[in-house]
Amino acid sequence: MKRLLFFLCWVLLTQTTFAQISGSFATTTGQPVPFANVLLLNGTDTTLVKAVLTDEKGTYRIEGTPSGKYLLRFNSMGFQTWNSPVFELSAQQKVHDFGRQVVNDNSRQLGEVVIEAEKPLFQQRAEGMVVNVQSSLLTKGSTALAILERSPGVMIDYRNNNIALNGKGGVSVMLNGKLIRMPLEQLVNLLNGMSADDIDKIELLSTPSSKYDAEGSAGMINIVLKKDKQLGTNGTVSLTGGYGYKEKAAASISLSHNSAKINSYGSYNYSFNRSYSDFEVLSYQDMPVFGGKMEVLGWDTTNLRQHNHDITLGADIKLNRKTTIGANLTYNASKASTVNTPAAYYRLLPDSLLTFDGRIDRENRWRNLISSVYLEKELNPTSKINIDMDYLYFKNDNPSQVYSSLLNENGKPVNANDSLFSPHQQGFGNTVIQVGVLKTDYSKQLNDKIKLEGGIKGTYTNSNTLSRIESLIDGHWVNRTETINEMRMKEGIAAAYVSANIQLSPSISLTAGARYEYARTTMDDTKTDKHTVDRKLSTLFPNIFLSKKLNGHSDLQLSYTKRISRPSYNDLASFVAYSDPTAVYAGNSLLKPTITNNIKLGYSYDAYIFSLLFSRDDHPIARYQLSESPAANILYVSPQNLVYQNNITFQTTLPFKVNNWWDMSYSFTGGLRQFKADHTLQPVTKSYFGYSLNFTETFKLPANFSAELTGWYNSPFYNGTIKVGRMGTVSAGVKKELKNNAGSLQLSVSDIFTTMSFNVDYGTITEEAFHIKNHLTIRQESSRSPIFRLSWSKPFGTGTLKTTKKESGSKDERDRIRKD
């Protein structure tokens, strides 16, 4: 065995083959062309391999390039693009000198010029799908949540503030590769206030590799913000006005100034939204606090007024050819004011009647800061190291005032001096979460066939939460003891990973690795100084990706990954929040983490994509489930563990080019799903077929017009034992490029057919707490009226050559803080 290992190591170390590419560019008058872009592209599919800039003398050098077929591309402001013929590097041909290349002036490119990059809306990669957000006409004035909702395989549960990927909850969300450790409800609200104008792309990673955090049993969603890397000063300004049932507005500006040594960038976005939603509920239940069986007919309207401010700042400094340092900061401030007006009739069988009317005034204020500094160093032509330090700060204040009346059939108050039914109550909620992250990544190209990657990461989180509900009784505020929550949470996660990328043959590649994580979570009740939670968990997460290129058009992939979803902080906290006189939202300190095993088989033919995913979740977390309080007088709406969940999911994306002005893309994600629940009065196992459909049609029209038609549909699905009905929308947009570089105008219409309403049912598959059977109809704003938005945007700059580039269709700390 030792001899075999020695032999393998000897083979790896003696087969190192790297090549060097060099040359220079000059004008027709013999002057050098400095700081021009030199791109090394894959000779087969023209994907980017490496990029460098020419120096002051117009020369360039690209080192550490593995064997293969390539082509070289030059572009710079004021010059025509130059492409080399395809060339090959091998063990025999390690150096390729292009010598001096003369490039021609492009006299037609005068004045203010900008980059116009044309990418397909959807692109596939080994770990999942990429959505190029700026390729959609519906982006301007929209939100990150709306973009996600239109993405293949993504489902937004508005009733429960949940995000599902490929039919599964347990999704972790990253911003620029940094995990957002927020409870999911809070994260959904954050995304609903984030402008899509600032987003470059969204990566839907159903099978992430070991270099990513293992968090996210259903996978990861990475939101990548725009970052202009073109030389010179560039920017974009945009204005949006809109109206649906209520008015909307947005304004943004982004700036970048980039030179050969320093790249700096920043943006500011403001958005305002007034919105409306309502629901109706018919419920049958056996509630002892009301005397037994009853029928409830209720309704509620929500009026929302929301302001959002987003600021992004950053800089990258190239100290020398091998070392780059950088820093960036993202700040968000938001304030959402809501007014709820619930009302209900409680018919106590056989013949008593109670009437409830209420008003809930609530404010939800957020201050979020995400900051990072990093260092990238090339140790030698074959190895490099990255060091990142991040600090994340989230602060939420959530005060509320509740005014209500509960009258009997004679018009007299019911138990007005009981804290449970007090006509005036108030809620307080304050949460501060701080996260520190330090990580180091190292990569080494052993030879032209093998690359090794490894890294370590440490994450420390501190969270403090204070919440309570008070009732006004006889002129005095009295705490409802069952609603008081004062918790301090500390969590440390240490992780290490290693991964090998091996080219087994010209057509077969293998990526294999493993990630080890150790986590300890403690929660203390600051009122009693008692430990309520102290958990330790160490887990190994292996993964393997095997890819086989069948021919020049098709590929086959096979992968296995293991992942985890830990309960969010609010999931574990013993807080409560007001829902109605007999129901509260609560946490569950007994929750277990979810462990998921995934096997994925994929096939692609050109831009046509097919995959089959098998997954098993042990102890999946289902939020907003129903349970009874120990005294059987209050309904708890809280997260619960299911026993298991099995999914067999088929996914396909089919793009079609009808002609040179009409493109379309259709996506399907669906399959068999099965789960078992035992938190209900009667355990239940449920199997069903669920799916989602997405389509996009784009049109290039005369006179610099373009148009887009897009839609999505989700079939009924289950959140735990709660059935969520079908939903879907169709939206459209049209864009006009104005003359004389005056920018562009875009008109979009969301939910043209006002279909965004859906049903939610409780008690359809088993006996729920208090024998509840509920049927809700929920209507979002666009079910009342389509939402129209008119946007004007203008890019400006002096930095780069205007080009059009068509590409083929062929990152970890914030998902554990939910917004209430």
Side-chain angles (χ1 to χ4, degrees):
M1 185 68 179
K2 291 182 179 179
R3 291 182 179 180
L4 177 60
L5 291 174
F6 176 79
F7 174 74
L8 290 174
C9 292
W10 179 82
V11 169
L12 295 177
L13 295 174
T14 57
Q15 288 186 350
T16 303
T17 301
F18 298 102
Q20 176 180 293
I21 304 165
S22 60
S24 66
F25 289 98
T27 67
T28 54
T29 61
Q31 297 298 314
V33 183
F35 311 127
N37 298 305
V38 182
L39 311 177
L40 181 64
L41 308 177
N42 187 295
T44 303
D45 58 10
T46 69
T47 55
L48 180 65
V49 179
K50 290 187 177 182
V52 298
L53 295 175
T54 58
D55 61 17
E56 292 86 348
K57 299 179 180 180
T59 63
Y60 62 90
R61 184 172 63 182
I62 303 175
E63 298 176 321
T65 305
S67 298
K69 293 183 178 181
Y70 302 94
L71 65 86
L72 203 68
R73 176 173 295 170
F74 160 93
N75 65 49
S76 183
M77 181 183 66
F79 295 93
Q80 295 180 4
T81 299
W82 175 88
N83 292 300
S84 77
V86 175
F87 61 93
E88 186 170 3
L89 300 175
S90 63
Q92 294 74 35
Q93 181 68 38
K94 298 182 180 180
V95 177
H96 197 105
D97 188 356
F98 280 93
R100 186 185 188 191
Q101 297 291 331
V102 177
V103 290
N104 297 317
D105 295 342
N106 191 345
S107 57
R108 292 174 298 174
Q109 301 292 326
L110 298 175
E112 187 178 69
V113 288
V114 296
I115 281 288
E116 291 181 354
E118 182 184 351
K119 298 180 181 179
L121 183 58
F122 305 120
Q123 291 179 288
Q124 186 69 17
R125 62 189 236 191
E127 295 160 317
M129 179 175 289
V130 177
V131 182
N132 293 303
V133 173
Q134 298 304 316
S135 296
S136 172
L137 300 183
L138 303 180
T139 294
K140 292 296 180 184
S142 190
T143 68
L145 192 67
I147 296 296
L148 277 176
E149 184 178 56
R150 297 195 291 266
S151 301
V154 178
M155 291 190 295
I156 309 298
D157 181 355
Y158 286 94
R159 170 62 180 170
N160 298 311
N161 283 325
N162 191 26
I163 302 175
L165 182 61
N166 298 329
K168 295 173 55 179
V171 179
S172 61
V173 178
M174 299 180 290
L175 185 63
N176 288 337
K178 297 174 176 32
L179 196 64
I180 308 179
R181 294 193 177 277
M182 299 178 100
L184 198 53
E185 298 96 322
Q186 297 167 347
L187 177 61
V188 167
N189 286 339
L190 176 66
L191 296 177
N192 201 29
M194 180 183 295
S195 171
D197 296 354
D198 293 332
I199 301 174
D200 176 37
K201 61 184 178 181
I202 296 176
E203 300 171 336
L204 309 175
L205 309 178
S206 57
T207 54
S209 66
S210 58
K211 69 179 180 181
Y212 294 96
D213 279 29
E215 184 70 36
S217 58
M220 314 184 85
I221 296 175
N222 185 29
I223 300 171
V224 181
L225 301 181
K226 289 191 295 188
K227 184 178 178 181
D228 194 341
K229 296 183 180 180
Q230 304 301 319
L231 293 176
T233 300
N234 300 281
T236 303
V237 61
S238 68
L239 298 171
T240 298
Y243 200 89
Y245 192 76
K246 300 289 183 178
E247 64 271 17
K248 296 94 173 49
S252 68
I253 185 170
S254 64
L255 286 169
S256 69
H257 181 78
N258 303 324
S259 65
K261 298 289 186 181
I262 301 176
N263 301 330
S264 57
Y265 54 92
S267 67
Y268 169 75
N269 178 276
Y270 168 77
S271 64
F272 169 78
N273 179 35
R274 287 187 65 196
S275 185
Y276 170 93
S277 63
D278 65 67
F279 74 81
E280 297 174 357
V281 58
L282 177 61
S283 175
Y284 300 91
Q285 51 191 274
D286 188 351
M287 186 67 68
V289 71
F290 280 120
K293 295 181 179 181
M294 65 179 182
E295 175 185 300
V296 182
L297 175 62
W299 54 95
D300 189 5
T301 61
T302 301
N303 286 277
L304 167 72
R305 180 189 292 264
Q306 185 169 12
H307 300 263
N308 289 281
H309 303 265
D310 296 284
I311 299 173
T312 299
L313 297 171
D316 307 311
I317 304 172
K318 194 168 186 177
L319 301 179
N320 51 54
R321 288 180 56 191
K322 297 184 177 182
T323 306
T324 301
I325 61 173
N328 56 71
L329 178 150
T330 300
Y331 176 78
N332 165 265
S334 67
K335 177 182 177 181
S337 302
T338 59
V339 177
N340 289 75
T341 53
Y345 294 118
Y346 295 84
R347 181 170 174 262
L348 311 181
L349 300 178
D351 57 4
S352 296
L353 181 67
L354 301 178
T355 302
F356 173 81
D357 284 289
R359 174 188 169 113
I360 305 174
D361 298 336
R362 189 192 307 266
E363 283 195 358
N364 201 349
R365 299 186 292 264
W366 274 94
R367 300 291 184 271
N368 308 312
L369 175 68
I370 301 168
S371 59
S372 177
V373 295
Y374 75 91
L375 173 123
E376 296 179 356
K377 175 134 183 106
E378 182 182 308
L379 303 177
N380 54 55
T382 65
S383 62
K384 66 178 181 179
I385 189 171
N386 294 352
I387 301 174
D388 291 83
M389 292 184 294
D390 306 324
Y391 172 72
L392 297 83
Y393 175 87
F394 306 99
K395 182 177 183 357
N396 174 240
D397 292 298
N398 192 7
S400 62
Q401 293 286 329
V402 181
Y403 307 92
S404 65
S405 66
L406 185 63
L407 308 177
N408 62 23
E409 54 193 355
N410 298 317
K412 295 183 178 180
V414 176
N415 296 328
N417 288 324
D418 187 324
S419 63
L420 187 65
F421 300 108
S422 170
H424 190 184
Q425 303 184 44
Q426 59 185 7
F428 301 91
N430 179 276
T431 299
V432 175
I433 301 173
Q434 300 179 82
V435 184
V437 183
L438 176 62
K439 71 170 185 172
T440 301
D441 299 287
Y442 172 80
S443 64
K444 171 73 174 179
Q445 188 82 44
L446 295 179
N447 53 49
D448 61 340
K449 291 181 170 50
I450 301 177
K451 180 182 180 180
L452 292 180
E453 295 179 299
I456 57 175
K457 180 178 181 178
T459 303
Y460 178 77
T461 302
N462 183 74
S463 172
N464 290 278
T465 300
L466 171 64
S467 63
R468 69 184 185 275
I469 298 175
E470 297 178 347
S471 299
L472 186 63
I473 299 177
D474 294 332
H476 301 282
W477 289 106
V478 177
N479 285 321
R480 290 178 56 178
T481 56
E482 75 277 13
T483 71
I484 300 174
N485 174 51
E486 296 181 24
M487 301 298 297
R488 179 175 59 243
M489 189 282 304
K490 296 180 181 180
E491 181 179 70
I493 302 176
Y497 78 92
V498 63
S499 178
N501 304 288
I502 307 171
Q503 193 71 41
L504 298 176
S505 72
S507 63
I508 301 177
S509 62
L510 173 68
T511 300
R515 184 182 187 92
Y516 173 80
E517 291 191 359
Y518 172 82
R520 183 180 182 185
T521 304
T522 62
M523 297 188 70
D524 302 326
D525 188 330
T526 57
K527 302 189 307 295
T528 62
D529 288 327
K530 290 183 179 180
H531 283 298
T532 58
V533 174
D534 190 351
R535 292 185 176 175
K536 302 175 184 178
L537 181 65
S538 59
T539 312
L540 183 68
F541 301 95
N543 65 80
I544 185 168
F545 298 82
L546 183 65
S547 178
K548 165 70 175 177
K549 183 175 285 294
L550 302 177
N551 50 52
H553 296 276
S554 58
D555 297 86
L556 192 65
Q557 305 95 27
L558 178 65
S559 66
Y560 164 77
T561 56
K562 181 179 180 180
R563 302 191 58 76
I564 188 173
S565 281
R566 300 178 178 89
S568 75
Y569 313 137
N570 284 11
D571 286 337
L572 295 172
S574 57
F575 77 97
V576 295
Y578 186 93
S579 176
D580 66 36
T582 61
V584 295
Y585 297 101
N588 182 357
S589 62
L590 301 178
L591 282 177
K592 302 175 183 178
T594 304
I595 300 293
T596 300
N597 291 273
N598 301 298
I599 297 176
K600 183 178 181 180
L601 178 65
Y603 172 77
S604 62
Y605 183 86
D606 290 338
Y608 302 99
I609 303 162
F610 308 88
S611 67
L612 192 61
L613 178 65
F614 304 86
S615 67
R616 164 78 179 202
D617 293 16
D618 292 314
H619 310 300
I621 298 171
R623 297 180 172 89
Y624 299 100
Q625 305 302 295
L626 306 183
S627 61
E628 300 179 6
S629 67
N633 63 339
I634 292 179
L635 177 68
Y636 284 151
V637 184
S638 63
Q640 301 288 338
N641 282 117
L642 305 181
V643 180
Y644 68 81
Q645 179 173 308
N646 297 324
N647 281 26
I648 303 176
T649 303
F650 174 73
Q651 185 172 28
T652 182
T653 299
L654 304 173
F656 301 97
K657 189 173 187 65
V658 181
N659 48 47
N660 61 359
W661 57 270
W662 183 4
D663 291 276
M664 59 178 65
S665 178
Y666 293 88
S667 297
F668 170 87
T669 302
L672 294 175
R673 304 167 187 173
Q674 183 189 71
F675 65 87
K676 181 178 180 179
D678 62 359
H679 66 275
T680 52
L681 298 182
Q682 294 290 332
V684 63
T685 300
K686 176 66 177 179
S687 301
Y688 69 102
F689 181 84
Y691 65 94
S692 63
L693 299 169
N694 298 76
F695 78 89
T696 300
E697 313 244 357
T698 58
F699 309 88
K700 295 181 180 178
L701 305 175
N704 291 324
F705 276 96
S706 56
E708 178 179 329
L709 181 69
T710 186
W712 60 270
Y713 173 83
N714 294 332
S715 72
F717 64 95
Y718 285 87
N719 169 43
T721 59
I722 304 169
K723 182 179 180 180
V724 182
R726 62 181 182 268
M727 63 185 80
T729 65
V730 174
S731 303
V734 61
K735 178 180 179 180
K736 165 68 173 177
E737 295 287 351
L738 304 176
K739 295 181 179 180
N740 302 319
N741 200 29
S744 64
L745 282 175
Q746 294 182 200
L747 175 65
S748 67
V749 185
S750 299
D751 197 2
I752 297 172
F753 303 111
T754 62
T755 56
M756 196 53 206
S757 64
F758 56 95
N759 298 322
V760 177
D761 292 280
Y762 298 75
T764 59
I765 61 173
T766 188
E767 286 289 335
E768 298 281 3
F770 298 114
H771 305 283
I772 285 177
K773 293 184 183 295
N774 286 356
H775 176 79
L776 291 87
T777 298
I778 300 172
R779 291 176 287 266
Q780 300 296 120
E781 177 187 11
S782 64
S783 69
R784 298 285 186 177
S785 168
I787 299 174
F788 296 83
R789 289 185 176 91
L790 180 64
S791 300
W792 170 80
S793 65
K794 174 180 169 57
F796 56 90
T798 59
T800 61
L801 177 69
K802 184 177 182 179
T803 63
T804 299
K805 179 180 178 182
K806 178 72 176 178
E807 301 185 7
S808 63
S810 27
K811 316 200 195 166
D812 313 279
E813 285 340 293
R814 331 186 210 356
D815 190 26
R816 296 180 64 198
I817 310 173
R818 310 191 318 261
K819 268 194 181 170
D820 299 320

